[in-house]
Amino acid sequence: MVRVTTTDRRTALRAGAGLAAAGALAAGCAPHGAGAHPPPAGTAAPPTGDRTPAPTPRLFPQVAAQITHGPRDRPRVALTCHGQGDPALADALLTVAEAHGARLTVLAVGSWLDEHPGLARRILDGGHDLGNHTQRHLDVNAMSETEAEREITECAQRLRRLTGSIGTWFRPSRAARASPRVERLARAAGYPHVLSYDVDSLDFTAPGAPAVARKVLGEIRNGSVVSLHLGYADTVAALPAVLEELHRRGLRAVTTTELLS
Ligand SMILES: [Zn+2]
């Protein structure tokens, strides 16, 4: 249980100013575990059977191509996760969210899906949003046209093979915002919007669960899109306190698709 007092929140806000600079340096996304992993031999996709088709990308005409937040006049927020890392921690975070009636948006790295193909359906079956976070989680904005296109389309192919859909959102790897080239390539691959965020939890810096909770709760408000990461114990430990406080404030944690609908 993480107790967040008003004093703590003020402290977190002061700390957040410094942390924001650190986040900018880290480009807002976890640098860890970003190496390319070839698919294990014999890894088979789980059968999709006759399950409900996965949601597909939607164009929200009133919304910018790059989304940093949803409507500020409705008490809803989206908790979005870099999808990589220890599958047990990933499952734990999804389970905590579900126990609180919350839904997440997971932007999956393609190489992670190659290693853990069952997680794609696990995410969808929990009622969460699933999207594309490039194939290898390298600095996609710094790549050539051909390389960047491959990073986007290879992850989209994994998602389609595993779920029947390329997923609802694209988020660039190693960057909070997509370059104009990457935004254009994502649109060509079928994603009308790039999903950024306006609250960075900095959970990937492993600052401890109380610090993660204070950072998020100090900045979150109507319409916020929060950047979190699967695969970090601090995030799992912080989520109950975050969700309990959101509930107290009357803020619902919904999928990004619901946030914008
Ligand atoms: Zn990431």
Side-chain angles (χ1 to χ4, degrees):
M1 176 68 189
V2 181
R3 304 189 78 83
V4 179
T5 65
T6 304
T7 306
D8 285 339
R9 201 168 295 132
R10 280 198 298 269
T11 305
L13 286 168
R14 281 197 299 275
L19 289 170
L25 285 173
C29 220
H32 309 292
H37 300 283
T43 299
T48 52
D50 56 358
R51 292 179 194 256
T52 306
T56 53
R58 281 174 56 184
L59 172 64
F60 294 88
Q62 307 304 320
V63 176
Q66 296 213 34
I67 296 166
T68 55
H69 62 82
R72 295 297 194 192
D73 60 352
R74 291 187 294 200
R76 302 191 302 203
V77 297
L79 305 180
T80 68
C81 304
H82 156 106
Q84 204 178 23
D86 181 346
L89 287 173
D91 184 68
L93 197 72
L94 295 164
T95 301
V96 169
E98 290 153 15
H100 286 77
R103 295 295 176 265
L104 307 178
T105 298
V106 177
L107 294 312
V109 176
S111 60
W112 183 69
L113 292 175
D114 287 337
E115 293 176 68
H116 311 291
L119 284 172
R121 279 288 1 160
R122 163 69 186 90
I123 291 162
L124 289 177
D125 289 347
H128 310 281
D129 249 357
L130 178 63
N132 177 331
H133 197 32
T134 75
Q135 179 58 25
R136 294 179 295 163
H137 203 267
L138 304 176
D139 184 355
V140 69
N141 286 341
M143 290 179 175
S144 71
E145 174 106 1
T146 305
E147 287 176 315
E149 180 183 26
R150 190 183 304 139
E151 283 296 307
I152 298 168
T153 57
E154 287 191 357
C155 184
Q157 287 163 5
R158 266 66 173 182
L159 288 165
R160 188 190 294 282
R161 179 168 55 81
L162 292 170
T163 72
S165 162
I166 62 171
T168 39
W169 306 100
F170 170 76
R171 173 172 286 171
S173 44
R174 305 279 191 110
R177 309 276 185 272
S179 68
R181 167 191 278 162
V182 168
E183 183 184 315
R184 173 172 50 77
L185 291 171
R187 195 180 314 122
Y191 305 96
H193 299 282
V194 169
L195 181 58
S196 186
Y197 48 86
D198 66 336
V199 176
D200 190 346
S201 72
L202 299 180
D203 57 349
F204 64 91
T205 64
V212 172
R214 284 197 300 268
K215 181 75 163 64
V216 172
L217 293 171
E219 298 179 13
I220 200 167
R221 58 191 175 113
N222 281 359
S224 283
V225 176
V226 181
S227 170
L228 299 166
H229 290 71
L230 300 184
Y232 288 82
D234 286 351
T235 320
V236 178
L239 193 61
V242 168
L243 292 175
E244 285 160 21
E245 176 63 13
L246 292 183
H247 179 72
R248 196 190 66 75
R249 296 184 196 176
L251 285 169
R252 284 182 58 223
V254 298
T255 63
T256 306
T257 299
E258 187 175 351
L259 182 75
L260 296 170
S261 296

